[in-house]
């Protein structure tokens, strides 16, 4: 009976990497374009260059954030090093009307949505908790409780359907991000139950970066994660998460499928977290540097760079400009982060309730009166 | 519209219907709320009239129900969730206390979460385990939630409408043992203010504060006490968070004696907070410490002993006596 | 992409029923034995007769319970009418060392374990909450919170492994019962995650009785439930839940597989709840009587009866004796239920804590003193 | 064995090690507790020494962790579960309050559930959302659970051992902001009684009751008050359910004034119950109502304002002043 559980290669995929199960790939680690029977991209040269620019920029901004944390300017940073292609590929595949539900690590998706990259820094600096309007940016607040956002995404997708905003190429769709570790949470599985039951316009985008903090993905599952979807009755597909072209193609197809009314898809972007889990983490305790080195050879930026180079699409000037612009953005980000204002103490009483609360008003007044007893207002 | 005699269940049903008519964004969600009309028939007939998109039978997953309700709220809906019984709300606990309760705060007010969680609560119906619990303190302790409970058909009718109209998440506790008790309900009444307690009976010698299913017990106790020559004021808290303390303080300043009644366990039940607050504010008015008549600090027991577990007239009067005897 | 989600027939199964996906069947509704390439049974005549006796008896006891509820002697009863084969087949497939984790409906499993059928009546009469020792009977307490027990089962199975009590034919295994509705709960899915991650000796036995109270199984899933297992990396299989022989064969194989160390299996027993959800339910609100009639033709008892009859294994005397003995058991059960003692009021303070609590001791003393103030002790 | 100077974290680590040595049925479960030793390193080195079957890295699913711990307990194990941070315990809520808490009761004592749920709790470490919460009242309100909290390395060492030795489920709240504070720990000490409060400092003018991370603040406040000529008694509750009230009542009867301090929100926090109980028992001894110094009734705020949210020496002294000024 045991062989029934055996992982079956997904039909249609062709590339193989290092004994791993197959996935959709359009660009090899060496930067060679390969064809796939089902998925393709047709980017202009400029688009390819701008993809590259995004990849470099989000990596640069991420590095700046890590530096800021090391310098004590952020309480914490959850870096995306190594996951740039998964995030930029997914983010660029979204249409303006689509809604994204991120974890705490989707800085790259956020960037490609055209959102000011400073947005999540309030959370990590501790001046707020990620205080933006999800509907304004079509990008939900970061969610720290693992998996919780996938249910919000499923509910939002039910709302799209109820609004009748699904069914053709202009339909709306939702993308829910989560990690390999998150796949074990009840909430993530329940969100798949709901999405399947209502055939909702949603794409479950799992970045399998091989780790949930210290735990390797084998602690969560013994079969490739994309196969989870099948058990709920919708397609799952694995894509080379370090291949921005493939991620883009697969995500776009799944989102279009959803917006047309064909229901959910799960995408597993097979990638690697090159950096620590967060700045608080010490990965030397649980993984070998050889493994990290191995993945460096599959770097998502290097491979697109090699391809552009092969194709004569990126000369020195372009590459220098990309670096320079990324640096300018990083410096601007740094400066703006440093000048994020600290919240006024009594503002902690704001926005607990939309409709207010006499109880809290009284407590706030007490607090203000108490604070006023200190000379100069500080103590 | 003239007043009608309705059960509390039917009053809620009418209130839900009214809210759905008034606002097309109101959707109901829950297990068995469609064709069946819910196990208590609170949503009876609503799916037939409003369709499956507005009265949504969900998969059997409470975290999923509340979590997707949050998503619907982000999308602009006003979901009203039915939890089938009190004891089945816990799988949704994270979504309620960490997500629903905090998202308005987290967004610095940019996101509103007008979600109502309806929970039939309390015991006295001879049910098996998990069907008779009183989890209200868990929610009242949670900043970001508001918690209310109705005690009679007239309040039920307008309170559910006000809860749905509220832009804050509201845990709406329904006294299931009173579902089928009747009273006159004026269906044309304008909703009152949801977060107010109500003096249901005036008195001068002692005050009884209760909510939900225990309001009836409080009123009966007051009536019985009158025969002993004691004049008891009865206050229905209605809102458990925030509490409208003004009428309670005023009453205690007048009577000097307070008894709080609820079915939930005593330890850290609503009565603990009422006792602490009243003592803080009315220290010199109290002739005796605040008395609490509550469920005991045990899991809800087997139904054949629930009558001994639940506060009743005798226990309330005993507490009144204690207060006088201090 | 949509076709990827299409249900694939399980390899190896041959029977088809009314447009339903295939399942393992060894006995047709008409009582004809059919062969299956993978599953078989080799019962002696006596064993077949005793299976029949079990089926009739558990139905008879169930009817008695329903009658007791109607007469006000039970607060509630969750009947098993129509699910006798699923429960007797599964229960008889267990070995003495196996541990079962039931829902609130597994009266048939309980009976076949040799447990006094009165055991769950305390719960439904309201004199206790199902107060037995799971380890004494190798049968956990009934669990009302949907799905919660599947995690207990998964944990218990981890314990078997830790004890080294797995690996050969004498190994121990666990069976976790749950319903079609329960399959949507986070807990059930998490239990599959754990079982797969540790390759634990557990069988997930889902009685798909087509309803979760009023909700048809389509509200929970759009593909056959047994396929859920595949997504977690272990085999799932659907069996005709009204065919006691097939249920037995499939369950035995899965349990043996587990005890030998080959990990989990999910079984979906495809059956039907002929009666209301519980005595509190009114199924006329949500299902047509035609549907019930249709399923009556697949009755689990009638088909084994027909087979025994065809084979000359059940004469009038036998059948009369079965009826009579079941009646005797039912009468005895009724009498013993009626004499279940009411708990002493102060006993509600017992067993809150194994180690006691001075706080509760004081509360109990107060209660006892209060009770004593009433003349004659009652009020 | 002589006394060693240990951090609270290391004292817990030693206590866990000792418990595992003493009883082979003790197993640890949680996220990242193996190679990583937990995000706070409380289980550092234990997997290496006791193996993967006794220090079990689990899938990322809190309900699953507690639910399987229950199953292991039924099998005869004594699981010690680590919840990574306070704010991540809620997905396990049903398994804790409906299953773990009630199974001994449900079985009429036939089943024992010796499960410890370790929760690093409280704020003051500059963390992001969900990493600084104080959920203890949710558990203390739940009959069937016992809830304790250690405040210093010496107690941490024996309390965790006693919790593991207990046949009841115990929620063990660890003051994460004190993890790396050091004190002398006598590793040869025999465990004390887990459900006892401790008078840490004697005084005659007022009493401060605290637990976990706030005990240090209470002691500092008492020291500061002494300079103002006030003699303050400080009591570490240690057990939040059941509470050992005898020393508290005795103290209040002596001092007449009580201040309760905790980080959790005021509304229905532990202080509410302490206030209610003390007033019930010491009504005529109280010179002023019990003062509560607590977190406000808001979600835990962004870390840049957490110092204003958390009770500190100034706020405690202010409450002492208030009590004297009544
Ligand atoms: C419910 C819950 N449990 C635990 C945590 C602590 N935690 C934060 S991130 C993380 C690992 C998440 O792993 P994965 O889902 O793979 O995402 P990744 O961080 O690798 O992007 C854990 C355990 C949490 N945030 N929420
Ligand atoms: C967590 C939880 N939610 C809701 C309920 C109420 N309830 C009791 S049985 C039931 C339906 C269960 O359906 P299924 O799992 O198919 O089992 P069946 O009753 O059909 O055997 C529901 C919703 C519950 N007991 N627990
Ligand atoms: Mg990961
Ligand atoms: Mg069912």
């Amino acid at each position: 009976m045991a062989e029934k559980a055996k992982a079956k290669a997904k039909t249609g995929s062709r590339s193989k990497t290092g004994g791993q199960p197959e996935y959709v790939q359009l660009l090899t680690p060496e930067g060679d374009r390969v064809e796939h029977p089902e998925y393709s991209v047709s980017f202009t040269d400029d688009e390819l260059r701008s993809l590259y620019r995004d990849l470099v920029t989000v990596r640069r901004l991420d590095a700046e954030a890590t530096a800021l944390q090391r310098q004590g300017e952020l309480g914490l940073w959850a870096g995306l090093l190594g996951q740039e292609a998964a995030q930029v590929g997914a983010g660029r595949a979204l249409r303006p009307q689509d809604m994204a539900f991120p974890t705490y690590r989707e800085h790259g998706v956020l960037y490609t949505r055209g959102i000011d990259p400073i947005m999540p820094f309030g959370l990590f600096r501790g001046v707020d908790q990620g205080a933006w309007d999800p509907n304004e940016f079509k990008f939900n607040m970061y969610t720290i409780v693992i998996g919780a956002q996938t249910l919000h995404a499923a509910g939002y997708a039910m709302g799209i359907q109820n609004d009748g905003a699904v069914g053709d190429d202009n339909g709306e769709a939702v993308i829910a991000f989560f990690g390999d570790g998150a796949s074990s949470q009840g909430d993530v599985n329940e969100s798949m139950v709901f999405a399947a039951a209502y055939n909702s316009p949603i794409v479950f985008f799992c970045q399998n970066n091989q780790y949930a903090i210290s735990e390797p993905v084998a602690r969560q599952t013994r079969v490739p994660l994309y196969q989870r979807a099948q058990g709920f009755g919708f397609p799952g597909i694995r894509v080379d998460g370090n291949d921005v072209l493939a991620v883009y193609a697969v995500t776009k197809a799944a989102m279009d499928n959803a917006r047309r009314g064909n229901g959910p898809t799960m995408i597993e972007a097979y990638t690697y977290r090159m950096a620590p889990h967060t700045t608080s983490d010490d990965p030397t305790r649980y993984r070998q540097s050889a493994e990290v080195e191995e993945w460096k050879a599959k770097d998502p930026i290097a491979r697109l760079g090699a391809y552009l180079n092969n194709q004569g699409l990126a000369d020195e000037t372009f590459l220098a400009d990309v670096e320079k612009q990324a640096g300018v953005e990083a410096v601007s980000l740094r400066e703006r982060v440093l000048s994020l204002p600290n919240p006024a103490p009594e503002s902690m009483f704001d926005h607990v309730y939309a409709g207010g609360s006499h109880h809290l008003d009284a407590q706030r007044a007490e607090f203000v009166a108490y604070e006023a007893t200190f000379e100069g207002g500080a103590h | 519209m003239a007043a009608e005699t309705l059960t509390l269940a039917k009053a809620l049903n009418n209130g839900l219907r009214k809210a759905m008519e008034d606002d097309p964004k109101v959707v109901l969600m829950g297990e068995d709320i469609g064709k069946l009309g819910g196990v208590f028939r609170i949503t009876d007939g609503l799916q037939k009239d409003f369709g499956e998109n507005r009265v949504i039978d969900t998969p059997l997953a409470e975290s999923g129900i509340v979590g997707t309700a949050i998503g619907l709220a982000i999308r602009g809906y006003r979901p009203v969730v039915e939890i089938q019984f009190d004891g089945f709300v816990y799988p949704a606990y994270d979504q309620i206390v960490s997500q629903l309760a905090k998202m308005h705060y987290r967004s610095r007010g940019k996101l509103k979460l007008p979600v109502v969680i309806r929970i039939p609560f309390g015991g006295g119906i001879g049910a098996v385990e998990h069907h008779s619990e009183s989890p209200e303190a868990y929610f009242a302790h949670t900043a970001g939630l508001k918690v209310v409970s109705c005690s009679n058909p007239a309040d039920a009718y307008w309170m559910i409408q006000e809860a749905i109209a509220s832009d804050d998440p509201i845990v709406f506790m329904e006294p299931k043992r009173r579902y089928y008790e009747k009273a006159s309900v004026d269906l044309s009444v304008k909703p009152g203010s949801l977060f107010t307690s109500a003096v249901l009976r005036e008195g001068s010698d002692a005050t009884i504060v209760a909510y939900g299913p225990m309001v009836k017990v409080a009123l009966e106790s007051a009536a019985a006490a009158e025969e002993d020559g004691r004049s008891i004021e009865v206050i229905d808290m209605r809102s458990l968070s925030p509490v409208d303390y003004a009428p309670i303080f005023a009453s205690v300043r007048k009577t000097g004696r307070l008894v709080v009644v609820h079915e939930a366990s005593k330890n850290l039940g609503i009565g603990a907070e009422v006792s602490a607050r009243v003592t803080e504010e009315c220290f010199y008015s109290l002739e005796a410490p605040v008395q609490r008549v509550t469920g005991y600090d045990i899991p809800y027991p087997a139904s054949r002993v629930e009558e001994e577990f639940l506060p009743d007239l005798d226990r309330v009067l005993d507490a009144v006596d204690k207060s006088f005897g201090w």
Side-chain angles (χ1 to χ4, degrees), chain A, chain B:
Chain A
M1 220 184 223
E3 68 269 30
K4 285 193 208 111
K6 225 182 246 167
K8 290 213 196 68
K10 193 188 154 294
T11 15
S13 43
R14 287 169 55 198
S15 335
K16 251 198 158 102
T17 335
Q20 298 302 339
E22 300 190 353
Y23 49 41
V24 177
Q25 190 182 71
L26 298 178
L27 196 59
T28 69
E30 296 72 32
D32 297 327
R33 272 290 267 118
V34 287
E35 291 307 312
H36 188 279
E38 220 174 317
Y39 296 99
S40 62
V41 288
S42 55
F43 285 118
T44 64
D45 293 350
D46 271 352
E47 283 169 344
L48 285 169
R49 275 188 290 257
S50 89
L51 273 175
Y52 183 78
R53 192 181 284 276
D54 278 5
L55 292 172
V56 170
T57 308
V58 303
R59 178 171 291 185
R60 180 67 184 80
L61 297 180
D62 185 70
E64 195 64 36
T66 300
L68 280 164
Q69 197 283 336
R70 296 289 178 228
Q71 292 151 13
E73 297 294 345
L74 298 179
L76 184 81
W77 182 249
L80 57 61
L81 189 71
Q83 300 178 223
E84 296 86 354
Q87 296 201 10
V88 169
R92 296 273 300 240
L94 306 181
R95 297 202 26 203
Q97 71 268 32
D98 294 335
M99 180 76 177
F101 286 82
T103 70
Y104 41 81
R105 205 187 287 287
E106 268 66 76
H107 326 307
V109 180
L110 180 146
Y111 183 80
T112 58
R113 293 235 85 185
I115 300 166
D116 184 343
I118 196 161
M119 207 161 75
F121 280 79
L123 173 67
F124 290 106
R125 190 166 165 86
V127 305
D128 64 35
Q129 290 166 330
W132 62 83
D133 180 353
N135 287 307
E136 181 182 348
F137 300 99
K138 289 275 176 185
F139 191 86
N140 192 50
M141 289 179 284
Y142 278 9
T143 299
I144 287 174
V145 177
I146 300 296
Q149 77 284 357
T150 60
L151 279 169
H152 311 157
Y156 190 96
M158 287 165 68
I160 291 178
Q161 269 172 309
N162 262 14
D163 291 346
V166 76
D168 61 25
D169 284 355
N170 292 320
E172 299 181 44
V174 168
I175 187 163
F177 291 92
F178 61 104
D180 46 296
S183 68
S184 296
Q185 285 285 3
D187 275 7
V188 172
N189 291 280
E190 290 188 8
S191 71
M192 295 191 182
V193 167
F194 276 70
Y198 300 108
N199 199 37
S200 307
I202 181 170
V203 172
F204 293 98
F205 193 97
C206 176
Q207 283 168 81
N208 176 359
N209 63 6
Q210 311 303 327
Y211 285 94
I213 309 187
S214 74
E215 298 188 1
V217 62
R219 179 74 312 168
Q220 318 292 339
T221 182
R222 59 192 209 180
V223 288
L225 278 171
Y226 76 92
Q227 294 179 9
R228 179 72 54 83
Q230 243 185 300
F232 293 101
F234 55 88
I237 184 165
R238 179 181 272 186
V239 62
D240 180 346
N242 285 11
D243 171 356
V244 70
L245 303 186
V247 173
Y248 176 90
V250 167
T251 309
K252 188 162 183 326
M255 292 296 284
D256 285 346
N257 211 37
R259 79 179 76 259
R260 288 184 198 124
N262 298 326
T265 302
M266 173 176 172
I267 297 171
E268 177 192 0
Y270 198 80
T271 180
Y272 194 77
R273 197 194 74 214
M274 304 289 297
H277 168 70
T278 63
T279 46
S280 299
D281 183 35
D282 173 11
T284 64
R285 284 185 162 246
Y286 56 82
R287 71 185 183 189
Q288 306 290 322
S289 57
E291 183 185 283
V292 183
E293 289 308 311
E294 203 183 289
W295 276 89
K296 271 193 187 150
K298 303 176 201 160
D299 188 87
I301 302 187
R303 88 170 71 174
L304 187 61
Y307 176 65
L308 292 183
N309 195 42
N310 294 344
Q311 303 291 309
L313 296 177
D315 57 14
E316 289 293 304
T317 326
F318 170 74
L319 294 174
D321 183 61
V322 167
E323 287 299 332
K324 192 179 148 219
Q325 289 304 324
V328 169
E329 278 206 54
V331 168
S332 147
L333 177 67
R334 156 175 293 264
E335 280 164 7
R336 292 185 299 140
V337 166
L338 294 184
S339 61
L340 279 175
N342 277 342
E346 69 269 25
S347 73
M348 70 176 151
F349 291 94
D350 295 342
H351 307 302
V352 179
Y353 298 102
S357 154
H358 50 76
H359 172 73
L360 215 51
D361 292 345
Q363 208 169 72
R364 181 202 185 107
E366 223 177 274
F367 173 81
V368 170
Y370 168 73
E371 289 287 298
T373 62
F374 294 90
E375 299 303 319
H379 63 115
Chain B
M1 223 185 295
E4 290 185 32
T5 299
L6 297 178
T7 61
L8 197 153
K10 193 67 190 160
L12 286 169
N13 179 273
N14 272 281
L16 289 169
R17 178 179 291 279
K18 182 82 167 42
M20 294 186 78
E21 283 165 359
D22 290 352
D23 185 345
K25 289 295 185 188
V26 175
V27 294
L28 313 188
M29 307 173 68
E31 297 159 6
D32 306 295
I33 67 168
K35 280 188 189 164
L36 190 64
V39 295
F40 292 108
R41 309 292 185 263
I42 307 301
T43 57
D44 193 28
L46 298 177
Q47 189 181 64
K48 194 168 137 282
D49 294 345
F50 294 96
E52 291 191 3
N53 283 349
R54 295 196 59 199
V55 180
I56 307 171
D57 266 334
T58 64
L60 209 178
E62 285 76 9
S63 188
I65 298 170
V66 176
T68 54
I70 291 172
L72 279 157
I74 297 176
R75 179 75 189 180
Y77 285 88
R78 306 185 84 86
V80 182
V81 162
E82 174 171 306
I83 298 292
Q84 201 160 74
F85 280 88
D86 34 64
F88 308 140
V89 70
Y90 308 122
Y93 206 66
D94 181 70
Q95 287 291 345
I96 297 174
V97 309
S98 268
Q99 307 299 322
L100 183 59
K102 297 187 170 65
M103 286 177 88
H104 179 69
Y105 191 67
R106 196 187 291 163
S107 76
R108 304 307 287 151
K110 298 190 188 78
L111 196 62
K112 293 196 174 86
L113 275 301
V115 177
V116 176
I117 316 266
R118 295 181 37 238
I119 309 180
F121 85 117
I125 62 163
V128 295
E129 215 188 353
H130 308 295
H131 290 72
S132 304
E133 300 182 7
S134 295
E136 60 272 19
Y138 294 133
F139 301 113
H141 181 51
T142 305
L145 297 177
K146 291 177 173 177
V147 185
V148 303
S149 181
C150 54
S151 70
N152 61 73
D155 280 358
Y157 175 67
W158 68 261
M159 283 177 71
I160 188 67
Q161 292 181 60
E162 276 298 275
I164 294 170
S166 160
D167 280 337
D168 288 306
I170 303 222
V171 178
F172 194 92
M173 309 293 300
E174 303 176 358
K176 71 167 89 80
R177 69 194 285 195
R178 309 292 177 214
Y179 268 153
Y180 308 115
E181 296 183 2
K182 289 184 183 176
S184 171
V185 180
D186 180 355
L187 296 175
S188 64
V189 80
K190 283 267 161 294
S193 173
L194 193 51
F195 308 104
T196 54
S197 48
V199 178
L200 297 189
R201 178 190 173 109
E202 299 204 358
S204 52
D205 298 339
T207 307
I208 303 179
V209 162
Y211 57 89
M214 286 293 107
V215 170
K216 188 181 180 190
V217 172
L219 287 169
E220 288 169 353
S221 303
E226 194 167 30
E227 291 170 22
D228 297 347
R230 280 183 183 148
S231 163
I232 310 269
E233 186 143 308
V234 175
I235 298 179
D236 181 354
M237 290 176 78
R238 292 201 298 218
S239 181
L240 310 184
S241 177
V243 175
D244 177 21
Y245 276 108
I248 299 174
F249 294 157
S251 183
V252 172
R253 288 189 184 114
K254 177 172 66 176
T255 65
R257 303 182 192 282
L258 177 61
V259 176
V260 194
V261 189
H262 56 68
E263 293 187 17
S265 286
K266 177 181 270 187
N267 189 30
L268 285 161
I270 298 289
E273 182 66 31
V274 171
S275 171
R277 284 282 280 145
V278 165
T279 308
E280 281 158 15
E281 299 291 330
C282 310
F283 190 64
Y284 290 120
S285 307
L286 283 172
E287 305 284 345
V290 177
Q291 301 295 309
R292 294 183 281 169
V293 184
T294 68
Y296 300 105
D297 292 324
I298 62 175
Y300 198 90
S303 62
R304 294 260 169 156
V305 284
E306 70 179 336
E307 292 305 332
E308 318 288 332
F309 174 85
L310 293 168
D312 60 10
L313 187 142
D314 287 322
R315 281 176 60 198
V316 173
L317 291 180
D318 186 60
V320 171
D321 282 349
K322 275 218 186 84
S323 179
F324 278 97
W326 212 266

